[in-house]
Amino acid sequence: ASAPLFPPLTSGRCLGAMVRRRVSAAVFLAAAFLVVGISLSAGPSRAADDEPRAMLFSGRDIWRNGAFAYSGLLLAPGGFEQDGFMLKLLLSGGAYRYVSGSLGGVTVIGVETLAQILPGFRMKRGNAEFKFFFGPELQWHKLWPDDPGNRLRGRDFGLRMIGELWYEPTHNSLIAGDAALSSIVTNHSARIAFGWRVAEELFTDGVYLGPETQYFRSDGYRHSRLGLHITSMKTEATEWSAAAGWARDSDGRSGPYFRLGLSSRLANE
C-alpha cells in the first residue's frame, strides 16, 4: 500500500505536537476550501423561500464481518436544486472482525467511531449532478486483541475527499457513483451503480432498480461487492434506498451484504 499523507500516530512526547500539526493543517485546508466554496456559491441563483436547505440522512450496512450505522446533516444555504456551497456533518460507528497476519492468523474484533466535517459544493450540468466534499475527519478504533500490525489503532486525525455523481442519461435510466479517499492509512472506496426506472404507479416518480459494484481498500485489507440496488424510493417526505448482494474480502471470507439508507429534507418554518 502507498504511504499515507500523514504518518500514523505515535506514543511519547511527539504525540501532542503531531496531533496539533495535523489539526492545524486540516483546519487550515478545510477553512480555505470553505471560503472558496462560499465565494463560488455567491452567484445570482437563489432558492425559493420555502425550498428546504437542510437534510437529515442515516443508514445501516451489514455483512458477516461487520455491522455499521451512520447519521448526519447536509446543509445547502442556496437550496438543493441550485449550484453552490454545501456542508456535510456525519457521525458513524460499528463493529467488525478480520484475520490478522501479524498475530499469526488470529481473528481480531474491532469497533470504530468516526466523525467528519466536510464543506463542499454542488454543480449540475445538463442531466448530470456533481458533488464534491473535502474536510477533516476523526477516527477511533479499538481492537481485541490488540494488533500492533494494524495502523488503524486508537485515535487518528486526517482529511477526507469525496466525489459524488448522479447522471440520468434518459428519463428512465440512471448512472450513480461515488469515490472517497482518506489520508488515514490512505483508505479509499468507490461505488458505481446503474438503474432503470420502474414501479411508477406505486411510488412518486418510480424507483431506480439495477446492479451495483463497490470496492474498499485500506492498509492490508480489501473488500469488494456486487449486488442489486433500489434508489429514490419516495414515501411522503422521506426518500429510501436499499441494496443487497454478495461481498468478499482479502481474508477469503464471503457472504451476503445488506445496506439501507434514508434521507429527509427539513421544511423551512
Side-chain angles (χ1 to χ4, degrees), residues 53-55 73-78 80 85-89 133:
R53 294 175 173 83
M55 175 190 297
L73 175 67
L74 181 62
L75 302 174
F80 291 102
F85 174 74
M86 306 186 89
L87 179 64
K88 179 183 289 188
L89 309 174
F133 299 94

Side-chain angles (χ1 to χ4, degrees), residues 47 51-56 73-83 86-87 122 124 129 131 264-266:
E51 182 178 333
R53 294 175 173 83
M55 175 190 297
L56 294 174
L73 175 67
L74 181 62
L75 302 174
F80 291 102
E81 305 305 321
Q82 306 291 338
D83 290 0
M86 306 186 89
L87 179 64
R122 172 194 185 269
K124 187 170 184 178
E129 179 180 317
K131 294 177 183 176
S264 179
R265 296 186 181 186
L266 304 180

Side-chain angles (χ1 to χ4, degrees), residues 205-243:
D205 297 326
V207 300
Y208 284 112
L209 174 66
E212 70 167 19
T213 183
Q214 189 172 16
Y215 180 76
F216 171 84
R217 181 166 183 168
S218 187
D219 184 38
Y221 180 79
R222 297 180 305 280
H223 181 106
S224 58
R225 294 178 169 185
L226 181 63
L228 292 174
H229 73 93
I230 299 176
T231 302
S232 290
M233 184 170 58
K234 298 177 182 178
T235 57
E236 297 182 354
T238 302
E239 183 171 319
W240 301 75
S241 66

Side-chain angles (χ1 to χ4, degrees), residues 1-125:
S2 58
L5 298 178
F6 297 108
L9 290 175
T10 58
S11 59
R13 291 180 299 175
C14 294
L15 177 59
M18 184 175 296
V19 171
R20 287 192 296 271
R21 287 196 299 270
R22 289 187 184 184
V23 172
S24 298
V27 170
F28 174 79
L29 289 173
F33 186 80
L34 179 65
V35 171
V36 172
I38 293 176
S39 299
L40 291 175
S41 66
S45 297
R46 291 292 184 270
D49 291 340
D50 59 348
E51 182 178 333
R53 294 175 173 83
M55 175 190 297
L56 294 174
F57 63 90
S58 65
R60 309 290 184 269
D61 190 298
I62 300 173
W63 88 296
R64 62 172 292 182
N65 284 336
F68 303 90
Y70 66 88
S71 61
L73 175 67
L74 181 62
L75 302 174
F80 291 102
E81 305 305 321
Q82 306 291 338
D83 290 0
F85 174 74
M86 306 186 89
L87 179 64
K88 179 183 289 188
L89 309 174
L90 182 142
L91 290 172
S92 70
Y96 56 92
R97 65 181 180 180
Y98 66 94
V99 176
S100 171
S102 62
L103 296 179
V106 171
T107 297
V108 176
I109 305 296
V111 296
E112 73 167 26
T113 302
L114 181 150
Q116 299 172 355
I117 303 175
L118 304 176
F121 59 86
R122 172 194 185 269
M123 296 187 303
K124 187 170 184 178
R125 299 295 181 266

